[in-house]
Amino acid sequence: MVVKFYWTALFLVGLVACNGGGTDEPEKTAEQLAIEELAGASGSETWTVRNGGSVSKDGTLQNDTYTDFEIRFISNNTGKNYLTENSNLLFDSNGNWAFEGENYDKIILSGIQPAANREISFTRTQNRLRLEWNVPAPQNARVSALAGFYVFDLVLME
């Protein structure tokens, strides 16, 4: 009787260990995780220079030029969109974004301003987001002043 109880208990423990404790949610894909890096689990997050962020161009701080800069990444059923404020003609005020390549660590923004249609690398560490990209010198003088290598270290807006 004790042996039978022992094997029954062992069987039940094994059954619980194999089936219990897990969630029924499927694992997220690399793309879903990368979307959350930019737009958060809610599908919309705003990043800003305020409260400890910084901007540099060719290694020189540009915080005074972008003090109130904000970018919001949105991902929902209608697509991937972005909104910006106070970008000093570097970004469009709104548009779409997409991943560049299959590593999901680079994005492309739509638009006509210098940051648009450029490969932008991003990394997120907790409540900080780093964007890096190059704006090549164009043929027209209006945009050549904005040419250079940019690094935006942004803070999650709460």
Side-chain angles (χ1 to χ4, degrees):
M1 181 75 163
V2 172
V3 171
K4 188 175 185 182
F5 175 76
Y6 172 78
W7 287 111
T8 303
L10 188 60
F11 173 76
L12 290 174
V13 168
L15 187 62
V16 169
C18 290
N19 293 330
T23 63
D24 291 338
E25 284 187 35
E27 284 191 40
K28 293 181 181 176
T29 66
E31 182 177 13
Q32 289 170 323
L33 293 170
I35 288 170
E36 286 186 11
E37 294 287 304
L38 295 169
S42 68
S44 177
E45 285 192 333
T46 302
W47 302 90
T48 184
V49 172
R50 287 189 300 272
N51 301 320
S54 67
V55 176
S56 67
K57 176 183 160 195
D58 296 327
T60 303
L61 281 178
Q62 304 287 310
N63 289 358
D64 292 342
T65 305
Y66 298 98
T67 302
D68 294 323
F69 172 78
E70 292 179 9
I71 187 166
R72 171 175 277 182
F73 290 102
I74 304 163
S75 178
N76 56 34
N77 294 338
T78 61
K80 297 179 188 87
N81 306 295
Y82 73 92
L83 304 168
T84 66
E85 291 184 20
N86 305 308
S87 75
N88 291 315
L89 301 177
L90 184 59
F91 293 85
D92 288 82
S93 61
N94 62 67
N96 300 315
W97 63 273
F99 289 110
E100 177 64 19
E102 294 187 23
N103 290 333
Y104 304 112
D105 62 350
K106 294 175 180 59
I107 57 172
I108 301 278
L109 305 176
S110 67
I112 61 170
Q113 297 298 346
N117 304 305
R118 308 277 175 235
E119 188 175 275
I120 300 174
S121 297
F122 72 91
T123 53
R124 179 175 178 170
T125 307
Q126 295 177 350
N127 68 340
R128 300 190 74 86
L129 180 69
R130 182 179 179 99
L131 305 176
E132 297 181 6
W133 77 99
N134 189 53
V135 175
Q139 301 300 321
N140 67 45
R142 178 185 79 84
V143 184
S144 69
L146 294 173
F149 180 74
Y150 286 88
V151 176
F152 275 59
D153 282 314
L154 304 172
V155 177
L156 182 62
M157 199 164 164
E158 309 249 350

